[in-house]
Amino acid sequence: MDWKNLISVDPKVMYGKPVIAGTRVPVDLILEKLALGSKVSELLESYPHLKREQILACLHYATAQIRNEDSYLTPA
């Protein structure tokens, strides 16, 4: 999936937070809802203007961001 066309960052929209392109829906909001157990179908009901591919693009975006980080967990 080419998430780069579906996620945008613009300093004039939501203070530059990554959002679903063409909307003011922040990527982190979608990720948080998924992490808390929401299903894609539930998000589509809550946000009828979104499409499944846009929600999945949020996951792909997050994956790409983490993949490019050099952070490591250390044992406590």
Side-chain angles (χ1 to χ4, degrees):
M1 166 183 283
D2 188 14
W3 59 263
K4 294 174 185 164
N5 295 327
L6 299 172
I7 304 297
S8 65
V9 176
D10 181 343
K12 297 176 186 174
V13 178
M14 299 297 291
Y15 303 103
K17 290 177 77 169
V19 298
I20 296 175
T23 75
R24 297 179 59 81
V25 178
V27 169
D28 67 317
L29 174 71
I30 298 299
L31 295 174
E32 180 178 29
K33 289 184 177 289
L34 290 169
L36 291 172
S38 292
K39 297 178 179 166
V40 172
S41 59
E42 294 169 338
L43 292 175
L44 293 172
E45 287 179 26
S46 297
Y47 301 92
H49 60 288
L50 296 183
K51 296 180 178 151
R52 178 179 174 78
E53 67 179 359
Q54 291 171 304
I55 293 171
L56 296 179
C58 294
L59 292 171
H60 286 279
Y61 172 82
T63 300
Q65 294 305 306
I66 292 170
R67 184 175 288 134
N68 294 324
E69 287 184 3
D70 287 332
S71 58
Y72 303 94
L73 296 176
T74 56

